[in-house]
Amino acid sequence: MERLFRGIDYKVLKITEKDIYSGNLEYDSRKVKRGDIFIALKGALVDGHKFIDKAIENGAVAIIVSEESTELKEGVAYFLVENLRGNLGVIASNFYGNPEKKLKIIGVTGTNGKTTTTYLIEQILGESKVARIGTVEYKIGDEIIEAPNTTPESLDIIKMCKKAVEKGLEYLVMEVSSHGLTSGRVDMLEFDVAIFTNLTPEHLDYHRDMEEYFNAKKILFKKLKDKRNGIINIDDEYGKKIYSEFGGISYSLNGEADLDMKLIEEIKPPLLGRFNMYNLLAAVGVGKILNIDSSVIRERARKIKGAPGRFESVFAGQEFKMVVDYAHTGDALENILQGVTELKNGGRIITIFGCGGDRDTLKRPVMAEISERYSDLVIVTSDNPRTEDPNKIVEDIVKGFKTKNYMIETDRREAIKKAVLKAGKDDIILIAGKGHETYQILGTTKIHFDDREIAIEAIKELEEVK
C-alpha cells in the first residue's frame, strides 16, 4: 500500500492480513466488483461515506475515507486521507502506474471555443494517435464514452490515460474547465501544451467574480512542463495578461502575432466564421510545438472539420439555411451571429435561443440585446429550464430587448417549428444554446431532445404541407 499513497499523507485505520488488491479504484459503489478499492468521496451533493456498506457488499476489500467516523468492518482495510478529493489523482496515478506520464497532454481552457479547438487539434495531430476529453464526449481510440462533465474526475482521467496508453495512443487533448482546475481534477497532470482561447462572463454562479474566474484559468499555465509552450489569444484582454505573465506563443486576427491572419490566408481552411479562425490558429500552434511537419499541418488544416453542434449546418432539402450551435453566453452568441452574418445573402436572420435555469441570470438580458442587434426576428424559448419556471427565465431575457422584433414560445419544439414556417428563401435560422446536446432538462427530469432532429422534422412537415 505504500506505493498507492506515495507522495501524500495518509493514516492506516485498519489493515487486513492480506495486502492484495486485484481490482480497480472506484468512487461509485455501484461499479465496485470483488477485489476493488472504494474511494469514499465527499461531494457537494453526495457523500461517498454513506455508500461504504454497499461497496463492501459488492466486493470492496479496502476503503479510503476522508473522515474517521466510519464504522470499521471485519475483513476490510481502511485508510484515511483527509484531503481525499485533492489527492485522488495522485492515488489513481500511483495505483495505475502513472499512465499520464506516457502521453503528451494538451490542455485547452477559456470560456468559448474549447470544444472546437480540441477537435481541430485532434485532426492536426492525426486522429488515430489522439485521445480526446471534453464537453461532447470522451474518445479513447475507437471507444466513445458519454461526457457527464467537461473535465472528468481525476480518477476517470487516469483510467482513460491508461486505456490510451494500452491502445498505443500518443496524445491526450482535453478541455480544462475552471471547475476542473479549482477542484483538483487535473492536479496530477503536467501539460506539454496549454491553450487560452478567451474569457467572458460565465460561471459567475460558481466563481465570485471575473478575477476569480481568471485566476482559475491561469492554473493551467502553472502546470506546463515548459512555460514557453502556452498558446495564447492576445486579442483577448485576459489573454494579454496571461501572455505578459507567462510568455509563450501568441495568436491574433487583429494584428501581428506568432500565429496570425497571414497563416489563415496561406492555409485557406474550409471552416466558416471568424471565431473558427481563432480555434484553427491555436490548433496549428499545437502542431508546431509538437514538431508535426509543417507540410502535414497545412495539408490537414485544408481538410479540417468542425465539432458536432458547433456552427453545424442542418439540411433536409429546404430553401433556407439552418445552423445549430452550442452558444449559450453573450460573447459566444455574438461570435456565432457574426459568423451567420457573413453567410447572409439578402435574406433575414431568425435566431432561436433561451437561457438555462438555475444558472447565471445576468447574461439573460445581455443575450437578448445581442440577438436583437444581429437578427431580423428573435424567438425566445426554453433551453434547459431545470427547476426554474421557464416563464421567469423568459421575463429576465426580454428585459434586454429594445424593439418588438421578437416573439415568445417557451416550448422549444414549437419554437423551432415556428421559425421554419416563417423562413423564406435565403433566410438563415440559428438555433442557439444546445448544439450537440441530445437532451433537455425539465425540472429534475432529462428527456431526449436534439435541436437537429427537431429541425429536420419541422422541415419535412413543412414540405408535406406544401
Side-chain angles (χ1 to χ4, degrees), residues 49 53-54 57 69 100 104 131 177 227 243 259 288 301 305 308 310 316 360 429 438-439:
H49 294 82
D53 287 349
K54 182 64 178 176
E57 182 184 318
S69 58
E100 75 284 1
K104 285 186 168 58
S177 66
K227 296 298 184 287
Y243 187 70
L259 304 164
K288 288 179 177 291
K305 297 176 182 176
R310 266 58 174 187
D360 181 14
I429 298 174
T438 57
Y439 59 84

Side-chain angles (χ1 to χ4, degrees), residues 40-42 49 64-68 79-84:
L41 274 188
K42 194 168 189 177
H49 294 82
I64 303 177
V65 299
S66 60
E67 53 188 40
E68 290 195 56
F79 304 92
L80 172 69
V81 176
E82 290 187 351
N83 181 17
L84 184 50

Side-chain angles (χ1 to χ4, degrees), residues 9-14 68 78-81:
D9 295 328
Y10 75 103
K11 180 180 177 181
V12 177
L13 300 180
K14 183 181 176 64
E68 290 195 56
Y78 291 82
F79 304 92
L80 172 69
V81 176

Side-chain angles (χ1 to χ4, degrees), residues 297-350:
I297 292 175
R298 285 195 299 272
E299 181 186 348
R300 289 173 176 170
R302 285 171 184 147
K303 300 175 182 176
I304 211 153
K305 297 176 182 176
R310 266 58 174 187
F311 213 70
E312 183 176 349
S313 178
V314 175
F315 183 72
Q318 77 275 13
E319 292 184 321
F320 52 87
K321 292 184 177 70
M322 181 172 281
V323 175
V324 171
D325 194 86
Y326 187 56
H328 58 281
T329 67
D331 183 67
L333 184 60
E334 183 161 24
N335 285 337
I336 295 304
L337 280 166
Q338 286 173 348
V340 170
T341 301
E342 292 171 20
L343 302 178
K344 193 173 180 181
N345 185 27
R348 300 176 303 159
I349 295 175
I350 301 172

Side-chain angles (χ1 to χ4, degrees), residues 150-166:
T150 295
T151 308
E153 284 288 357
S154 53
L155 172 56
D156 297 319
I157 292 174
I158 293 297
K159 285 184 176 182
M160 285 187 269
C161 286
K162 180 173 180 285
K163 280 187 179 181
V165 171
E166 289 170 349

Side-chain angles (χ1 to χ4, degrees), residues 383-411:
D383 192 290
N384 292 321
R386 299 182 178 87
T387 62
E388 195 171 352
D389 180 357
N391 294 307
K392 173 63 173 64
I393 298 171
V394 168
E395 282 177 21
D396 289 343
I397 292 171
V398 299
K399 290 173 184 175
F401 289 119
K402 294 182 175 63
T403 69
K404 295 296 182 183
N405 293 340
Y406 71 90
M407 59 184 292
I408 296 169
E409 176 51 75
T410 55
D411 184 315

Side-chain angles (χ1 to χ4, degrees), residues 115-361:
T115 298
T116 298
T117 302
T118 60
Y119 273 79
L120 302 187
I121 293 168
E122 179 184 20
Q123 293 170 72
I124 292 291
L125 297 180
E127 295 177 59
S128 63
K129 299 178 180 179
V130 178
R132 175 173 37 79
I133 292 176
T135 307
V136 175
E137 63 190 11
Y138 309 148
K139 177 176 173 283
I140 316 297
D142 55 359
E143 182 179 359
I144 304 295
I145 303 164
E146 185 181 349
N149 299 303
T150 295
T151 308
E153 284 288 357
S154 53
L155 172 56
D156 297 319
I157 292 174
I158 293 297
K159 285 184 176 182
M160 285 187 269
C161 286
K162 180 173 180 285
K163 280 187 179 181
V165 171
E166 289 170 349
K167 293 184 178 190
L169 305 182
E170 297 177 31
Y171 307 101
L172 170 62
V173 180
M174 63 184 298
E175 296 179 49
V176 189
S177 66
S178 57
H179 188 267
L181 286 161
T182 55
S183 64
R185 292 180 184 177
V186 295
D187 279 3
M188 69 293 180
L189 300 180
E190 288 184 299
F191 290 84
D192 294 273
V193 186
I195 294 170
F196 177 83
T197 61
N198 50 60
L199 198 74
T200 60
E202 170 74 328
H203 303 303
L204 297 183
D205 50 341
Y206 177 72
H207 301 289
R208 286 177 299 182
D209 51 36
M210 284 297 289
E211 195 61 27
E212 184 177 287
Y213 184 28
F214 175 55
N215 287 331
K217 296 294 189 184
K218 283 203 304 186
I219 295 170
L220 179 63
F221 292 84
K222 296 174 183 177
K223 297 185 66 57
L224 273 170
K225 293 177 184 176
D226 185 336
K227 296 298 184 287
R228 295 171 296 181
N229 288 350
I231 303 175
I232 301 155
N233 174 11
I234 59 170
D235 286 347
D236 182 272
E237 61 174 305
Y238 291 99
K240 287 176 183 172
K241 291 179 182 179
I242 290 181
Y243 187 70
S244 65
E245 183 174 345
F246 294 95
I249 294 175
S250 61
Y251 67 99
S252 167
L253 294 179
N254 295 339
E256 288 191 5
D258 298 314
L259 304 164
D260 55 30
M261 275 302 296
K262 293 190 291 290
L263 185 59
I264 296 296
E265 290 163 1
E266 175 192 335
I267 291 172
K268 295 181 175 59
L271 298 171
L272 296 172
R274 182 178 170 84
F275 58 94
N276 267 330
M277 300 307 105
Y278 281 107
N279 301 332
L280 181 61
L281 286 177
V284 168
V286 174
K288 288 179 177 291
I289 286 176
L290 296 178
N291 298 315
I292 304 298
D293 186 89
S294 57
S295 63
V296 172
I297 292 175
R298 285 195 299 272
E299 181 186 348
R300 289 173 176 170
R302 285 171 184 147
K303 300 175 182 176
I304 211 153
K305 297 176 182 176
R310 266 58 174 187
F311 213 70
E312 183 176 349
S313 178
V314 175
F315 183 72
Q318 77 275 13
E319 292 184 321
F320 52 87
K321 292 184 177 70
M322 181 172 281
V323 175
V324 171
D325 194 86
Y326 187 56
H328 58 281
T329 67
D331 183 67
L333 184 60
E334 183 161 24
N335 285 337
I336 295 304
L337 280 166
Q338 286 173 348
V340 170
T341 301
E342 292 171 20
L343 302 178
K344 193 173 180 181
N345 185 27
R348 300 176 303 159
I349 295 175
I350 301 172
T351 299
I352 306 168
F353 86 97
C355 291
D358 305 329
R359 296 291 187 273
D360 181 14
T361 59

Side-chain angles (χ1 to χ4, degrees), residues 16-72:
T16 55
E17 291 181 9
K18 292 184 179 180
D19 184 10
I20 299 173
Y21 305 103
S22 59
N24 284 302
L25 296 180
E26 297 290 355
Y27 59 79
D28 185 337
S29 62
R30 296 167 296 184
K31 295 181 179 178
V32 169
K33 296 183 175 59
R34 186 152 305 281
D36 287 354
I37 299 173
F38 178 62
I39 312 287
L41 274 188
K42 194 168 189 177
L45 300 175
V46 179
D47 183 356
H49 294 82
K50 295 180 179 179
F51 300 93
I52 289 174
D53 287 349
K54 182 64 178 176
I56 293 171
E57 182 184 318
N58 286 345
V61 293
I63 312 292
I64 303 177
V65 299
S66 60
E67 53 188 40
E68 290 195 56
S69 58
T70 305
E71 178 189 352
L72 308 182

